[in-house]
């Protein structure tokens, strides 16, 4: 079985400040990890994914995440946020590619002007 | 490239009524997913198709939910009869699918159908 924990349900941050959205996972097998973004009344869009290789993953819109196997974490970071980054962010885990993906409960990022 | 199309965007029904949602995946995508997203929660996979066959329906409440993808292209998800707790956004997604390296291709999501059961 696998699970994802996003401890922060909401994260307010001022525009141009850095942000980190936390994600921890548990799994009995090797995992693939994802971050998705969901804008209001929209579907989910893939930000980035870790399948193998380098543990630092760069995604779209200036986001990056680091896979830490020992801490079972996959935190999402951006050095300087913009108003347009206001959205809900979901961390997800899969035992293999896009099969049986389990999503976390989401973190709402609110960028304050 | 056209994205995943879903209809309707919104639906309000009374409990015990039936409802159906439609999804047209991206052309050429073999794998199709239906997710349920309850307010305040992450999406939960209901069913996954590979072409017209079911790969995973372990979390589909089969006493009231059904889904089909008869020709391996578009798909319908039906709820009959609906309960209050079925109020959610129903998301459809598709990916190239396949095996091996193709297994790791990105899943693209539609805008979803927001269902309210009153």
């Amino acid at each position: 079985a696998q699970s994802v924990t996003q401890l922060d349900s909401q994260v307010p941050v001022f525009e141009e400040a850095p942000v980190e959205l936390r994600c921890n996972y548990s799994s009995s097998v090797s995992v693939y990890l994802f971050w998705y973004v969901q804008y209001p009344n929209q579907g989910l869009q893939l930000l980035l994914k870790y399948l193998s290789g380098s543990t630092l993953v760069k995604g779209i819109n200036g986001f990056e995440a680091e896979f830490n196997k020992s801490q079972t974490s996959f935190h999402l970071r951006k050095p300087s946020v913009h108003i347009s980054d206001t959205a809900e962010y979901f961390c997800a885990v899969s035992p293999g590619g896009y099969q049986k993906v389990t999503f976390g409960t989401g973190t709402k990022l609110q960028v304050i002007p | 490239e056209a994205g995943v199309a879903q209809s309707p965007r919104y639906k309000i029904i009374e409990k015990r009524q039936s409802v159906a949602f439609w999804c047209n995946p991206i052309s050429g995508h073999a794998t199709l997913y239906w997710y349920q997203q309850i307010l305040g929660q992450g999406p939960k996979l209901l069913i996954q198709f590979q072409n017209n066959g079911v790969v995973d329906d372990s979390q589909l409440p089969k006493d009231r939910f059904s889904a089909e993808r008869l020709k391996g292209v578009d798909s319908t998800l039906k709820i009959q009869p609906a309960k209050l707790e079925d109020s959610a956004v129903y998301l459809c997604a598709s990916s190239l699918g396949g095996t091996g390296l193709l297994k790791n291709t990105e899943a693209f999501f539609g805008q979803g159908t927001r269902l309210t059961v009153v």
Side-chain angles (χ1 to χ4, degrees):
Chain A
Q2 57 191 18
S3 66
V4 177
T5 302
Q6 293 182 250
L7 290 172
D8 306 307
S9 59
Q10 293 190 51
V11 173
V13 62
F14 286 104
E15 192 174 15
E16 297 183 7
V19 69
E20 178 180 85
L21 305 183
R22 297 182 294 169
C23 172
N24 289 88
Y25 69 92
S26 67
S27 176
S28 57
V29 298
S30 297
V31 295
Y32 296 165
L33 294 155
F34 311 87
W35 275 100
Y36 282 86
V37 59
Q38 187 175 36
Y39 298 102
N41 297 316
Q42 299 292 318
L44 284 84
Q45 180 183 6
L46 182 67
L47 269 181
L48 49 80
K49 61 181 182 284
Y50 172 77
L51 302 181
S52 64
S54 173
T55 57
L56 182 62
V57 181
K58 293 189 182 298
I60 61 172
N61 300 341
F63 284 92
E64 64 180 30
E66 186 158 17
F67 170 57
N68 188 320
K69 188 175 181 179
S70 62
Q71 296 186 5
T72 60
S73 68
F74 191 56
H75 301 331
L76 181 70
R77 302 184 182 99
K78 187 170 184 178
S80 176
V81 295
H82 189 266
I83 291 289
S84 60
D85 293 323
T86 295
E88 189 158 19
Y89 293 79
F90 292 92
C91 182
V93 62
S94 161
Y98 290 89
Q99 317 302 314
K100 296 186 181 295
V101 176
T102 300
F103 286 85
T105 52
T107 297
K108 291 182 179 176
L109 174 63
Q110 183 182 5
V111 180
I112 304 165
Chain B
E1 174 181 272
V4 176
Q6 290 188 248
S7 66
R9 287 296 312 278
Y10 305 92
K11 190 74 176 179
I12 301 175
I13 62 171
E14 295 182 349
K15 58 184 179 184
R16 292 186 290 274
Q17 284 187 323
S18 62
V19 64
F21 312 128
W22 175 82
C23 172
N24 191 21
I26 293 172
S27 178
H29 280 195
T31 305
L32 185 147
Y33 314 79
W34 281 103
Y35 284 88
Q36 179 192 56
Q37 186 177 15
I38 293 173
L39 187 65
Q41 299 181 19
K44 181 182 81 171
L45 179 67
L46 291 176
I47 189 167
Q48 178 183 337
F49 291 95
Q50 180 72 20
N51 296 310
N52 62 350
V54 176
V55 173
D56 182 2
D57 64 356
S58 57
Q59 298 191 93
L60 185 74
K62 298 180 186 64
D63 58 333
R64 297 183 300 107
F65 286 66
S66 65
E68 60 183 16
R69 194 185 183 199
L70 293 176
K71 296 183 179 179
V73 181
D74 57 348
S75 175
T76 56
L77 175 69
K78 296 179 182 177
I79 307 175
Q80 182 179 10
K83 293 185 175 181
L84 295 176
E85 59 260 36
D86 298 331
S87 294
V89 175
Y90 291 85
L91 294 166
C92 179
S94 70
S95 68
L96 279 171
T99 58
L101 290 176
L102 287 178
K103 187 172 61 176
N104 297 328
T105 57
E106 179 179 346
F108 294 84
F109 283 79
Q111 292 184 298
T113 295
R114 183 178 298 277
L115 173 67
T116 303
V117 183
V118 298

